[in-house]
Amino acid sequence: MAAQAGSSSAAQEDPFVENEEELIFGAESGWVEARTFCDHLPSLSTDLAHIPAPDTPCNRCQHPNENWLCLCCKDILCSRFVNKHMLQHFQQTNHCLALSYSDLSVWCFSCDAYLDAQVIPQLRGVYETAYILKFGEAPPFRTV
């Protein structure tokens, strides 16, 4: 009994966690690790210092919410949860990099993954610009 009590782990203490890897990688919570590199970064627009305001409606349907900024051509289009115009834009143009004006996350449609805009140097500037436009102050960058 004493040996069992002394060898407790997070997986043993929490009956809802099947193994410790789920705690580490967040598999059960739906947490996603953003990538710190993407092969598609060369397709970024050369002028991401000047971007439309976060309250810009979708260029196709004028929906005011859940919009994304295409980081290749700077079009503003709605999410897959509205009318899927950003997804259609990717399918029609192969512009695969987009920034969500809802939470400022960056998505690569080709990699099917989130990208860490605070760590990837090519994305840090547009992330900072979008943050300032949305909140009126510079973002609190985390230390890496």
Side-chain angles (χ1 to χ4, degrees):
M1 268 316 230
Q4 283 181 322
S7 65
S8 67
S9 71
Q12 290 171 334
E13 291 172 10
D14 187 346
F16 297 105
V17 176
E18 291 184 21
N19 64 46
E20 289 183 58
E21 287 182 30
E22 290 178 357
L23 287 175
I24 296 169
F25 299 110
E28 281 296 307
S29 68
W31 174 70
V32 176
E33 178 91 26
R35 291 185 177 194
T36 57
F37 180 78
C38 171
D39 288 331
H40 305 98
L41 294 172
S43 68
L44 288 168
S45 168
T46 56
D47 180 23
L48 290 174
H50 303 95
I51 59 173
D55 60 354
T56 304
C58 174
N59 290 346
R60 293 193 189 159
C61 68
Q62 303 307 307
H63 196 279
N65 301 320
E66 286 286 329
N67 291 319
W68 289 71
L69 168 67
C70 175
L71 296 176
C72 302
C73 70
K74 302 197 299 188
D75 247 355
I76 301 288
L77 299 156
C78 63
S79 78
R80 64 182 80 210
F81 302 111
V82 180
N83 291 315
K84 298 180 174 66
H85 288 137
M86 183 56 76
L87 178 60
Q88 292 169 2
H89 179 70
F90 161 66
Q91 292 166 339
Q92 294 164 356
T93 65
N94 209 30
H95 290 177
C96 59
L97 299 168
L99 179 137
S100 166
Y101 273 138
S102 294
D103 63 5
L104 303 182
S105 60
V106 174
W107 179 258
C108 178
F109 286 94
S110 294
C111 293
D112 198 27
Y114 285 103
L115 306 179
D116 193 332
Q118 292 188 38
V119 172
I120 299 172
Q122 299 94 316
L123 297 175
R124 194 168 173 152
V126 71
Y127 172 81
E128 184 171 6
T129 301
Y131 191 99
I132 291 168
L133 288 171
K134 185 170 180 158
F135 299 111
E137 61 186 49
F141 282 108
R142 69 182 190 273
T143 57
V144 191

